[in-house]
Amino acid sequence: MFAHSKFHCLLLSLLLIAPTAPGAASGAGSAEPADLWRREHRLIDLHQHVGCTTQHLARAVRIMDAVGLGLVVNLSGGFVTPARDGGPSEFERNKTLADTLHPGRFLHYMSLDYSGWDDPGFSERAVEQIETGHRLGAAGLKEYKRLGLYLRDKAGNLIRPDDPKLDPVWKRCGDLGLPVSIHVADPKAFWLPYNERNERWKELKDHKSWWFGDTNKFPPWKDLLESLNRVIERHPKTTFVCVHFANNAEELEWVDAALDRHPNMMADLAARIPEIGRHDPRRVRRLFLKHQDRILFGTDFQVYNRLILGSSGNEPPPTDADAELFFAKHWRWLETRDRDWAHMTPIQGDWTISSIGLPPEVLRKIYFDNARKLLVRSLPPPTLRARRISQDLPLGQPVRNSLWELAEPVRIEQRATDGEVNPALGTSVRALWSERYLYLAFE
Ligand SMILES: [Zn+2]
């Protein structure tokens, strides 16, 4: 017990029920304690695309609640360029609606408006966009696979990821602590002949614009990855979350070496468990254990007029129940050791995957701790509410008083300064107050 301003803080020990870590139960449907654990820990999906309308947001939240996601990063926050009539930008409209209807459930990334690319001063104006986004509450910058594949200058040349005109943008993101989620390239099969023997034919036949096999129009697959690596190397103070398992789920050694070489690089899992899960699960597991601080949970789940479960074609639209199964298969892959089962995005290919059964202390990093650290600038600190009591508690001795049950416990395990999460040093705190004292209790 010690005095602190006009309050006395009473330090005492309380027995609180520790959350159950997810078990390695086999099968998607049999892991009830794990379902509770996920729900309680409010998982973070770092990679979704949600249309910011009342209906789409409500549908997204219903599914989040059903599967145990606390927070979604909506990468499709949009441009911060003011509207033509001078009104709020697309980004502001999207963020305001989501924050008003569902406070605390979404963070939004901005993306860069490339109009005026060929005009003098583009880089300066692009940096201003980043500064505006930062001021408006963008949690990060999203770059789609436009670079090197779709975006062209006035002369018709593709704009490469490592174009020097973009360097000031990447640098400013680092200065401001805005992480960059960046997509370059795509599965290798998108560069192979366009016919029914292509292993991604089911997708390609419905999306001709995803095929990059025309060497007159598109650079080779590996050039794009190397171009991005040069950017990551030039900007060591900027964090790059390379989406879709570092844009190269097909080459685990490449991902391993790239993560080793670039401490400012991370990888999300979005829409690539069907690819990653094809490899020998023991090798994948070793890679996940080695880079457990650099891998982030993300799905590429999309909520627009139809749901998209990682990818889609012209098949009938998925239902909410299909979406729940899609998430359940993610848990099954990460948490169990099941072998050779049908993956979550059948259109991505006719093969089976094998689970990697990660231990609980690694799962929590991938599900939320790594994201909490990455997003610390944008996440609200935990709020502890002190409940009023009308009588004082005896001081200076361990107290087991039913009054404590009034106080909602708040788990604190993250450093506010840099977002570092240390569960072993974490504690649950409760607070009560009376006319004379503020009482704090922790485990
Ligand atoms: Zn995406």
Side-chain angles (χ1 to χ4, degrees):
M1 186 170 69
F2 56 90
H4 176 64
S5 76
K6 69 175 188 171
F7 295 115
H8 291 262
C9 297
L10 177 66
L11 310 180
L12 52 100
S13 184
L14 267 190
L15 274 179
L16 297 175
I17 298 160
T20 325
S26 203
S30 60
E32 218 180 286
D35 291 340
L36 291 173
W37 181 90
R38 273 183 242 103
R39 199 150 298 155
E40 216 173 280
H41 282 79
R42 303 174 52 78
L43 268 48
I44 300 179
D45 187 334
L46 196 74
H47 190 141
Q48 287 199 11
H49 303 275
V50 181
C52 284
T53 66
T54 308
Q55 295 83 346
H56 296 147
L57 289 165
R59 191 174 190 191
V61 168
R62 258 193 332 267
I63 294 166
M64 287 162 72
D65 288 343
V67 303
L69 294 180
L71 182 80
V72 155
V73 171
N74 183 13
L75 296 178
S76 295
F79 294 161
V80 299
T81 315
R84 286 228 174 90
D85 61 3
S89 63
E90 179 188 31
F91 179 84
E92 285 167 280
R93 281 181 277 125
N94 288 341
K95 183 175 186 304
T96 305
L97 185 69
D99 288 351
T100 308
L101 295 175
H102 306 286
R105 303 308 299 276
F106 295 96
L107 291 179
H108 291 84
Y109 276 33
M110 62 172 286
S111 50
L112 207 60
D113 181 353
Y114 283 87
S115 30
W117 170 264
D118 294 281
D119 303 336
F122 174 82
S123 297
E124 290 73 24
R125 288 194 307 281
V127 166
E128 280 168 24
Q129 289 184 49
I130 300 299
E131 288 164 351
T132 303
H134 178 258
R135 183 170 48 77
L136 295 174
L141 172 71
K142 162 69 173 168
E143 187 46 71
Y144 298 92
K145 64 177 174 190
R146 306 177 288 182
L147 291 173
L149 289 175
Y150 297 117
L151 281 177
R152 293 176 187 269
D153 64 13
K154 235 190 310 199
N157 299 312
L158 284 165
I159 302 171
R160 301 296 182 109
D162 64 339
D163 192 298
K165 270 163 85 170
L166 290 171
D167 279 328
V169 168
W170 313 128
K171 179 175 181 308
R172 197 68 185 123
C173 286
D175 296 341
L176 296 172
L178 280 184
V180 178
S181 272
I182 184 161
H183 180 180
V184 299
D186 250 338
K188 286 177 182 175
F190 290 9
W191 271 257
L192 297 175
Y194 189 80
N195 60 41
E196 65 284 356
R197 286 191 306 280
N198 190 307
E199 70 167 5
R200 304 295 286 251
W201 180 242
K202 271 197 215 156
E203 265 175 323
L204 289 173
K205 76 175 167 47
D206 290 344
H207 303 277
K208 182 87 203 257
S209 66
W210 292 3
W211 183 68
F212 308 115
D214 184 344
T215 51
N216 295 316
K217 286 195 189 147
F218 301 106
W221 173 82
K222 211 47 174 274
D223 283 13
L224 294 165
L225 296 178
E226 283 165 3
S227 176
L228 175 58
N229 270 357
R230 286 191 288 277
V231 174
I232 297 171
E233 191 126 8
R234 293 206 291 253
H235 299 283
K237 296 208 172 107
T238 307
T239 302
F240 292 89
V241 175
C242 297
V243 301
H244 305 317
F245 209 53
N247 298 300
N248 193 1
E250 289 158 287
E251 295 186 352
L252 297 185
E253 305 79 14
W254 185 95
V255 173
D256 184 21
L259 287 169
D260 277 344
R261 205 168 337 113
H262 307 298
N264 56 326
M265 176 181 177
M266 301 179 92
D268 85 19
L269 298 177
R272 288 299 179 275
I273 289 177
E275 267 315 326
I276 313 168
R278 289 169 96 179
H279 299 283
D280 175 354
R282 289 162 303 184
R283 269 180 70 211
V284 180
R285 190 171 193 274
R286 275 199 301 276
L287 184 71
F288 273 59
L289 293 181
K290 178 176 170 192
H291 296 293
Q292 56 186 265
D293 297 315
R294 316 270 295 283
I295 297 173
L296 300 139
F297 176 71
T299 57
D300 222 352
F301 179 59
Q302 307 186 29
V303 186
Y304 293 97
N305 285 338
R306 65 178 282 156
L307 300 179
I308 295 180
L309 310 179
S311 182
S312 74
N314 298 332
E315 75 283 5
T319 62
D320 288 20
D322 295 331
E324 288 182 36
L325 183 62
F326 171 75
F327 283 95
K329 288 192 170 192
H330 285 76
W331 321 144
R332 183 179 181 190
W333 187 72
L334 287 158
E335 296 172 23
T336 77
R337 298 280 192 129
D338 294 350
R339 292 292 167 104
D340 301 319
W341 50 276
H343 63 75
M344 57 287 277
T345 309
I347 195 174
Q348 288 187 337
D350 281 330
W351 54 75
T352 58
I353 60 172
S354 291
S355 308
I356 58 170
L358 295 174
E361 64 276 15
V362 177
L363 279 174
R364 59 168 293 153
K365 289 185 179 184
I366 289 170
Y367 278 151
F368 47 85
D369 282 343
N370 295 342
R372 283 196 206 159
K373 187 176 173 194
L374 181 80
L375 302 167
V376 66
R377 194 186 61 80
S378 307
L379 293 173
T383 308
L384 177 65
R385 280 180 215 288
R387 292 294 298 264
R388 172 89 198 261
I389 47 173
S390 52
Q391 69 195 79
D392 278 304
L393 300 170
L395 297 179
Q397 51 185 282
V399 176
R400 304 206 182 279
N401 190 306
S402 60
L403 284 173
W404 281 108
E405 279 157 32
L406 294 170
E408 187 76 21
V410 171
R411 180 112 195 126
I412 296 176
E413 47 194 14
Q414 186 178 20
R415 266 204 311 251
T417 44
D418 59 0
E420 193 66 48
V421 181
N422 190 335
L425 297 181
T427 188
S428 287
V429 185
R430 298 180 194 225
L432 297 172
W433 69 281
S434 70
E435 282 302 320
R436 299 176 66 203
Y437 298 110
L438 172 69
Y439 301 90
L440 294 175
F442 59 88
E443 267 175 10

